[in-house]
């Protein structure tokens, strides 16, 4: 009964058919073998790489390649149909084209069809369909029955391991046929990345930096794998493309911290940060490293020297990306092909970039995620968060990623052990701090008031104006009551000691040895502080004392300001603005001098600290939420443009998942929306 079940030597099949319909395909064009050994190729105006070094699957057999070895595009189709007809293939190809940006019909140069059905049949109509694409070779899995046609040889492959569906490059030699994963290269036209990277598939968890520059663009190229590869993968983050701030170690890639001097003295990472490995284990796909303010500083755009400052797609294209996780927030606002970006927040570095790019981004509760192999700033103030455009996807990622086995130890945070309830024990009050609000731009305050009204209605919350500064200053312990002292004293020590010990001192010492006593070339944001750092003032003992002082403040906060009750994880949610109050802030310094623009990180006149400083002191969870946009007249495009309006929502430490549940409910109610990429968020 079975017709051609045997592994047959392949004769050039389906080619040179006089009867073929005109080819719809643009031909495959190999460009070069990269230094990694992988292959750069083009089809039409799209550029790809194929991981020929470490194929996904190799099948041995007896083949007849054109020369001793040849490469060609191939589409893998896995179905459960018992009769594979024209309609079956047509609908699968349509679904590939619909849901994936990497696959094109050009990959139909050859196909491999497998079916999970018993004794599947390759219907002649399917061969006609494939011939309409001028398919050159058809491969099927074992067990397929098909009629031999005069026009087309169908070759059976004995594959132990069927590759996931989607586009591949096949490399055929006399003895084997390899299926190699392909990555579409996107130009990072906003120059938010340092470099693209992809998983080496070497069985060792290594990554390969994309060693290519296409002269037709100035931009780094970012490789993204086909989304189809992950269709059969049920892990929570399967196939999600993630950009990583270049202070997390990823095996096989350089960690620079935004400093060429640091990169010069540090070897390629021989391991991956556990926080990033967890994303990979959950199915996430790392696509590259993005730009950051050097050593996670708060440097203004015009103070960047080593790297060229990234671009923000919003408004006139000349808006700031803010500091430290700047490339992350701006890339999420820029590219539909990117799903998430991971950043860190010590003083504002997730929350403010999210605000100026009009995307979601958080500083989670202190201690929520392991930070080993992440270049530190303040050991007990560093946190890591994720940028996203979509509130549901943001919630999904955060809940999958943050998990008790990755919590930091109390010895590290200096705080009580974390608990992370996942309940609907929502706050009862919305706190509106009068020194931080209203928003500076009155048009933006209208957007905020509507948001507050909608949120309080949805959850039955009351809105309460209060004076944050006065409330803290009312504390009976003078140490706890002094906000200036808290932020410049213990937080100042925490934010400098760890970086000095683990980054600054080794860099300065090594550089001096290498270059005859010279100080390393670093940006001005860090140079004076590192230069005058006094080790006999900021000691290990001082650091421990600072942790205790911080913990005292946190304990006071969690009893007096944001506390738990039987009904609420955090009795209140506090709102404030970490952005610019709805005014534009620019990458070009002088543009910020106008009253219709703003610098970042302005301490409001009657406050003692910036709003950004609250959670680094009190360990609380602080989430930036895009809520709208307002117009401004641009002195760059001389045209009306839109600037995003965001608000920050703060809850007691450990109430992250309760806040995420609130965010999900607000998305259900249409109060929160997915933001768009590009010039406008809404
Ligand atoms: C690339 O080619 C496709 C198909 O020919 C075309 O639709 C598209 O506009 C081209 N894109 C660019 C950037 O040239
Ligand atoms: C085949 O796959 C389709 C789509 O995934 C599914 O709806 C259908 O139930 C499957 N049929 C069988 C027989 O497994
Ligand atoms: C095979 O080729 C013949 C003539 O060359 C043509 O009539 C026939 O339609 C072709 N069959 C298929 C399935 O394309
Ligand atoms: C994995 O790493 C080890 C040592 O780091 C190396 O010897 C080995 O060749 C690597 N394996 C692969 C498949 O690259
Ligand atoms: C908040 O309280 C502080 C301390 O009492 C006071 O100096 C400040 O003016 C108040 N701010 C507002 C807006 O009421
Ligand atoms: C300060 O504390 C007193 C006594 O507990 C209280 O009556 C007052 O309302 C508090 N003021 C503020 C601004 O919290
Ligand atoms: C200010 O901070 C220093 C150092 O942390 C501490 O010794 C001092 O007691 C603080 N003063 C007040 C008024 O809190
Ligand atoms: C708070 O601390 C600062 C800095 O240590 C100090 O200058 C100031 O006097 C203190 N204020 C009060 C009210 O103690
Ligand atoms: C460093 O601090 C110590 C202790 O406060 C002080 O004695 C020393 O003069 C300082 N060194 C410098 C270079 O300022
Ligand atoms: C643009 O420039 C004009 C004239 O200098 C100034 O009045 C206006 O505020 C500026 N607009 C912005 C958004 O900075
Ligand atoms: C509002 O903006 C103006 C002009 O930049 C600035 O002087 C003022 O401090 C801002 N107010 C607040 C509360 O940020
Ligand atoms: C999404 C949503 O509920 N929006 C409402 C918010 O409140 C204003 C009035 O304050 C309504 O007009 C919106 O429809």
């Amino acid at each position: 009964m079975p017709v051609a079940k045997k592994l047959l030597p392949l004769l050039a099949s389906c080619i040179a058919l006089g009867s073929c319909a005109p080819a719809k395909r643009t031909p495959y064009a190999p460009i070069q073998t990269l230094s990694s050994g992988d292959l750069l190729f083009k089809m039409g105006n799209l550029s790809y790489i194929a991981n020929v070094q470490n194929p996904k699957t190799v099948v041995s057999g007896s083949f007849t390649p054109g020369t001793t070895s040849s490469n060609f595009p191939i589409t893998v189709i896995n179905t459960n149909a018992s009769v594979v007809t024209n309609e079956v293939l047509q609908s699968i190809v349509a679904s590939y084209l619909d849901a994936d940006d990497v696959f094109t019909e050009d990959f139909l140069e050859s196909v491999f069809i497998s079916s999970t059905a018993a004794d599947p049949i390759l219907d002649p109509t399917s061969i006609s369909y494939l011939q309409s694409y001028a398919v050159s070779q058809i491969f099927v899995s074992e067990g397929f029955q098909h009629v031999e046609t005069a026009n087309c040889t169908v070759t059976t492959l004995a594959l132990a391991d069927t590759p996931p569906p989607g586009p591949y490059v096949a490399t055929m030699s006399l003895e084997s046929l390899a299926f190699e994963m392909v990555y579409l290269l996107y130009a990072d036209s906003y120059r938010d990345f340092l470099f693209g990277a992809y998983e080496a598939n070497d069985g060792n968890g290594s990554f390969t930096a994309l060693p290519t520059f296409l002269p037709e663009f100035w931009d780094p190229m970012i490789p993204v794998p086909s989304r189809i590869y992950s269709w059969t993968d049920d892990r929570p983050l399967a196939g999600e493309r993630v950009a990583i701030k270049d202070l997390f170690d990823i095996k096989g890639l350089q960690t620079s911290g935004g400093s060429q001097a640091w990169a010069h003295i540090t070897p390629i990472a021989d391991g991956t940060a556990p926080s990033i490995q967890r994303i990979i284990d959950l199915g996430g796909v790392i696509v590259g490293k993005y730009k950051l303010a050097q050593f996670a500083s708060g440097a203004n755009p015009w103070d960047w020297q080593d790297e060229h400052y990234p671009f923000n797609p919003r408004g006139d294209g000349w808006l700031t990306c803010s500091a430290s996780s700047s490339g992350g927030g701006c890339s999420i606002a820029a590219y539909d092909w990117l799903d998430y970006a991971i950043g860190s927040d010590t003083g504002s570095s997730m929350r403010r970039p999210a605000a100026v790019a009009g995307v979601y981004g958080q500083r989670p509760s202190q201690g929520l995620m392991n930070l080993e192999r992440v270049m530190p700033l303040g050991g007990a103030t560093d946190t890591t968060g994720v940028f996203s455009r979509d509130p549901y996807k943001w919630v999904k990622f955060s809940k999958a990623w943050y998990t008790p086995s990755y919590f930091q130890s109390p010895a590290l945070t200096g705080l009580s052990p974390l608990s992370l309830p996942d309940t609907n024990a929502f706050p009862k009050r919305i706190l509106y701090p009068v020194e931080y609000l209203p928003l500076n731009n009155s048009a933006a305050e209208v957007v905020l008031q509507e948001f507050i009204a909608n949120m309080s209605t949805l959850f039955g919350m009351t809105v309460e104006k209060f004076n944050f500064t006065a409330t803290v200053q009312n504390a009976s312990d003078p140490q706890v009551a002094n906000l200036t002292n808290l932020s410049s004293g213990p937080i100042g020590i925490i934010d400098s000691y760890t970086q000095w010990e683990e980054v600054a001192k080794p860099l300065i010492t090594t550089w001096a040895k290498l270059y005859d006593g010279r100080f390393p070339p670093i940006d001005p944001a860090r140079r004076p502080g590192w230069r005058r750092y006094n080790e006999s003032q900021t000691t290990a003992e001082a650091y421990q004392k600072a942790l205790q002082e911080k913990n005292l403040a946190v304990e006071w906060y969690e009893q007096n300001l944001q506390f738990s009750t039987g009904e609420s994880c955090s009795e209140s949610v506090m709102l404030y603005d970490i952005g610019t109050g709805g005014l534009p802030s620019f990458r070009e310094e002088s543009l910020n001098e106008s009253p219709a623009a703003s610098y970042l990180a302005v301490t409001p006149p009657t406050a003692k600290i910036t709003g950004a400083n609250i959670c680094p002191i009190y360990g609380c969870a602080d989430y930036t939420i895009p809520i709208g946009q307002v117009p401004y007249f641009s002195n760059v495009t001389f045209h009306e443009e839109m600037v995003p309006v965001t608000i920050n929502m703060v809850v007691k430490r450990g109430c992250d998942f309760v806040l995420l549940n609130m965010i999900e409910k607000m998305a259900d109610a249409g109060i929160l929306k997915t933001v768009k990429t590009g010039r406008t968020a809404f």
Side-chain angles (χ1 to χ4, degrees):
M1 183 69 173
V3 189
K5 225 178 161 179
K6 218 163 49 118
L7 196 69
L8 292 171
L10 183 75
L11 302 167
S13 49
C14 312
I15 46 175
L17 286 176
S19 69
C20 255
K24 292 181 191 171
R25 292 187 293 100
T26 325
Y28 161 85
I31 304 295
Q32 67 176 120
T33 299
L34 302 171
S35 58
S36 61
D38 290 333
L39 180 69
L40 174 66
F41 65 97
K42 282 195 156 195
M43 292 198 296
N45 55 17
L46 301 179
S47 302
Y48 295 88
I49 50 167
N51 184 348
V52 300
Q53 283 296 97
N54 296 296
K56 188 74 183 164
T57 307
V58 182
V59 55
S60 46
S62 173
F63 299 97
T64 315
T67 54
T68 50
S69 154
S70 69
N71 298 313
F72 49 87
I74 187 164
T75 299
V76 171
I77 289 176
N78 301 330
T79 173
N80 61 10
S82 45
V83 181
V84 178
T85 59
N86 174 14
E87 287 75 30
V88 169
L89 292 185
Q90 219 168 356
S91 100
I92 290 173
V93 169
S95 71
Y96 284 11
L97 288 170
D98 186 50
D100 185 36
D101 49 347
V102 177
F103 176 80
T104 69
E105 288 163 317
D106 300 342
F107 281 96
L108 291 168
E109 177 164 335
S110 62
V111 293
F112 170 66
I113 300 168
S114 76
S115 176
T116 51
D119 300 323
I121 295 166
L122 189 62
D123 191 76
T125 60
S126 65
I127 295 178
S128 311
Y129 170 73
L130 292 170
Q131 282 178 328
S132 74
Y133 285 104
V135 71
S136 68
Q137 330 221 20
I138 299 175
F139 302 94
V140 291
S141 59
E142 285 187 298
F144 253 101
Q145 305 172 34
H146 59 84
V147 265
E148 281 299 350
T149 66
N151 308 357
C152 217
T153 310
V154 176
T155 307
T156 300
L157 295 181
L159 271 171
D161 213 6
T162 306
Y168 290 81
V169 160
T171 299
M172 181 184 279
S173 70
L174 291 165
E175 312 80 34
S176 67
L177 182 68
F179 290 83
E180 294 139 2
M181 286 172 74
V182 297
Y183 295 80
L184 176 62
L185 302 185
Y186 278 109
D188 168 27
S189 53
Y190 291 95
R191 281 175 273 159
D192 293 336
F193 282 82
L194 285 166
F195 57 87
Y198 57 99
E199 199 164 4
N201 192 37
D202 64 352
N204 270 356
S206 297
F207 281 74
T208 305
L210 188 73
T212 193
F213 178 79
L214 299 179
E216 63 258 54
F217 308 107
W218 291 8
D219 318 314
M221 301 302 290
I222 308 302
V224 303
S226 169
R227 293 195 184 274
I228 303 166
Y229 296 153
S230 57
W231 283 3
T232 50
D233 183 343
D234 56 10
R235 291 175 295 169
L237 303 180
E240 300 288 3
R241 300 164 181 170
V242 189
I244 310 291
K245 184 176 186 173
D246 193 18
L247 46 65
F248 292 80
D249 274 359
I250 297 180
K251 188 174 182 177
L253 304 181
Q254 180 68 54
T255 306
S256 75
S259 161
Q260 297 202 25
W262 179 260
H264 184 69
I265 68 151
T266 348
I268 299 283
D270 61 1
T272 297
S275 51
I276 304 304
Q277 188 59 48
R278 176 158 175 79
I279 294 168
I280 297 164
D281 294 345
L282 290 166
V285 174
I286 307 305
V287 300
K289 293 274 199 92
Y290 70 75
K291 289 178 181 172
L292 67 157
Q294 197 175 73
F295 304 117
S297 74
N300 284 311
W302 46 90
D303 288 327
W304 288 41
Q305 298 296 329
D306 237 2
E307 300 158 286
H308 190 242
Y309 192 72
F311 285 87
N312 188 337
R314 303 301 190 205
D316 51 22
W318 224 245
L319 297 173
T320 181
C321 291
S322 180
S324 179
S325 309
S326 41
C330 278
S331 62
I332 286 299
Y335 305 127
D336 281 317
W337 46 262
L338 185 65
D339 299 302
Y340 297 102
I342 298 299
S344 64
D345 186 312
T346 304
S348 67
S349 291
M350 279 293 305
R351 295 165 290 159
R352 198 171 277 131
V356 297
V359 300
Y360 296 86
Q362 81 268 56
R363 174 190 178 87
S365 293
Q366 195 71 55
L368 211 53
M369 179 49 79
N370 178 309
L371 291 173
E372 287 160 30
R373 281 187 172 273
V374 183
M375 183 187 280
L377 174 47
T381 41
D382 290 346
T383 62
T384 175
V386 56
F387 295 106
S388 172
R389 291 181 296 274
D390 177 331
Y392 294 108
K393 287 184 66 171
W394 193 41
V395 170
K396 184 178 179 190
F397 189 108
S398 302
K399 284 197 172 180
W401 189 34
Y402 298 129
T403 189
S405 56
Y406 283 71
F407 289 174
Q408 289 180 303
S409 79
L412 227 156
T413 61
L415 305 177
S416 58
L418 262 172
S419 75
L420 186 65
D422 186 356
T423 68
N424 287 348
F426 295 142
K428 302 291 179 197
R429 288 189 301 158
I430 297 169
L431 297 181
Y432 182 101
V434 292
E435 336 79 294
Y436 296 99
L437 293 171
L439 300 175
N440 207 326
N441 180 342
S442 55
E445 181 66 13
V446 172
V447 175
L448 175 60
Q449 283 304 328
E450 180 175 321
F451 171 77
I452 292 174
N454 290 346
M455 177 164 78
S456 64
T457 304
L458 180 64
F459 297 107
M461 292 171 179
T462 58
V463 183
E464 195 167 309
K465 290 192 172 176
F466 90 122
N467 184 324
F468 175 85
T469 313
T471 308
V472 176
Q473 287 179 346
N474 210 17
S476 52
D477 182 340
Q479 191 119 349
V480 167
N482 190 329
L483 274 168
T484 316
N485 205 24
L486 269 175
S487 65
S488 59
I491 300 302
I493 291 169
I494 292 169
D495 283 355
S496 56
Y497 177 78
T498 323
Q499 182 172 74
W500 174 261
E501 293 294 324
E502 295 185 29
V503 184
K505 191 156 96 178
L507 176 56
I508 292 167
T509 312
T510 308
W511 203 266
K513 274 194 203 127
L514 285 173
Y515 299 108
D516 199 17
R518 287 181 170 80
F519 195 81
I522 60 168
D523 285 359
R526 286 286 178 251
R527 193 188 300 126
W530 286 9
R531 182 80 184 124
R532 62 163 188 264
Y533 193 87
N534 188 335
E535 280 192 332
S536 44
Q537 271 166 14
T538 313
T539 58
E541 295 69 41
Y543 185 80
Q544 287 307 321
K545 184 160 170 279
L547 287 187
Q548 288 163 15
E549 287 168 353
K550 175 176 162 165
N551 186 42
L552 267 184
V554 173
E555 285 179 351
W556 173 86
Y557 189 87
E558 294 183 356
Q559 279 157 23
N560 297 281
L561 216 153
Q562 290 201 291
F563 43 86
S564 297
T565 64
E567 292 183 313
S568 303
C569 181
S570 176
E571 183 272 340
S572 65
V573 52
M574 181 168 66
L575 306 182
Y576 79 99
D577 169 42
I578 203 169
T580 52
L583 298 176
S585 183
F586 297 97
R587 59 186 292 128
E588 188 179 322
E589 184 171 16
S590 60
L591 292 172
N592 297 315
E593 297 292 347
S594 125
S598 174
Y599 285 96
L600 292 178
V602 181
T603 307
T606 73
K608 294 286 182 201
I609 57 173
T610 62
N613 245 324
I614 294 172
C615 286
I617 299 178
Y618 297 108
C620 35
D622 185 350
Y623 286 54
T624 301
I625 313 282
I627 57 173
Q629 59 190 6
V630 288
Y632 69 100
F633 187 83
S634 166
N635 286 327
V636 177
T637 58
F638 302 101
H639 194 281
E640 185 179 277
E641 306 287 2
M642 289 289 181
V643 60
V645 178
T646 61
I647 193 69
N648 280 69
M649 300 177 62
V650 177
V651 292
K652 183 188 163 226
R653 179 169 182 255
C655 299
D656 299 70
F657 282 10
V658 177
L659 179 58
L660 288 169
N661 291 340
M662 271 179 75
I663 287 163
E664 198 161 68
K665 290 210 179 317
M666 286 193 275
D668 287 344
I671 300 172
L672 296 179
K673 297 189 176 68
T674 298
V675 296
K676 296 190 296 185
T677 55
R679 208 184 274 286
T680 60
F682 293 93

